[in-house]
Amino acid sequence: AQKITQTQPGMFVQEKEAVTLDCTYDTSDPSYGLFWYKQPSSGEMIFLIYQGSYDQQNATEGRYSLNFQKARKSANLVISASQLGDSAMYFCAMREDNTDKLIFGTGTRLQVFP
Amino acid sequence: KAGVTQTPRYLIKTRGQQVTLSCSPISGHRSVSWYQQTPGQGLQFLFEYFSETQRNKGNFPGRFSGRQFSNSRSEMNVSTLELGDSALYLCASSLALQQETQYFGPGTRLLVL
């Protein structure tokens, strides 16, 4: 069965440092997509980055990069040069082939301190 | 370009009532999905619509229903509200199926008393 696991309920990082948020997934579908979203206290889900299962290179979007290790079924999010505004909940999600349905992990609460 | 809009943003209802939530996707987007977020259950998939057709439905009771109109706007309805239906209801849209981005709206916070 499809499953997303985020084992870090909370993470702390100092401003300007890099942080890695872990995500592992389980699927038997060879074609799938992996997403990371940020959810500030306002509630809106903000799209950060996407990785397709057949993409050869790790995805990057500005300060966000996705460390995709297909054999280990992991899709960790790396945030470089953390900013105070990065404090939020972060969700990893997976979409299998032929559907737009997203399966979400339980999230990681990131707190950036000065 | 305007983002995904959801109305109303906040709603208070009492048990037994029904509620209708609305989602307007980004202009040109044809795929709309709905999610329920609660502290206990996290984010759970409700429905997926594309071109007015429901493609998938999550594991929710029949009190939860939805539809999509020809202009891609979508509504979801919850009848006979229960206390456990209190949640943040999120809508997401994408241009077509299997896109690299799905954009979420701000959500509707429903409180059932």
Side-chain angles (χ1 to χ4, degrees), chain A residues 1-62:
Chain A
Q2 326 144 22
K3 189 176 180 182
I4 292 280
T5 302
Q6 294 182 255
T7 57
Q8 307 156 314
M11 290 282 286
F12 286 89
V13 65
Q14 191 167 30
E15 201 177 5
K16 299 180 185 177
E17 296 295 311
V19 63
T20 297
L21 307 183
D22 294 341
C23 173
T24 58
Y25 60 92
D26 190 17
T27 179
S28 56
D29 195 333
S31 177
Y32 52 88
L34 297 159
F35 299 75
W36 275 93
Y37 284 89
K38 171 185 176 181
Q39 187 178 43
S41 55
S42 61
E44 184 169 357
M45 299 286 279
I46 300 168
F47 168 77
L48 296 178
I49 198 165
Y50 168 84
Q51 180 85 41
S53 59
Y54 294 118
D55 293 343
Q56 295 295 314
Q57 294 190 329
N58 287 342
T60 60
E61 290 283 353

Side-chain angles (χ1 to χ4, degrees), chain B residues 7-20:
Chain B
T7 57
R9 293 291 314 278
Y10 303 91
L11 205 50
I12 300 176
K13 292 285 189 179
T14 56
R15 278 181 301 174
Q17 287 187 309
Q18 74 160 11
V19 67
T20 299

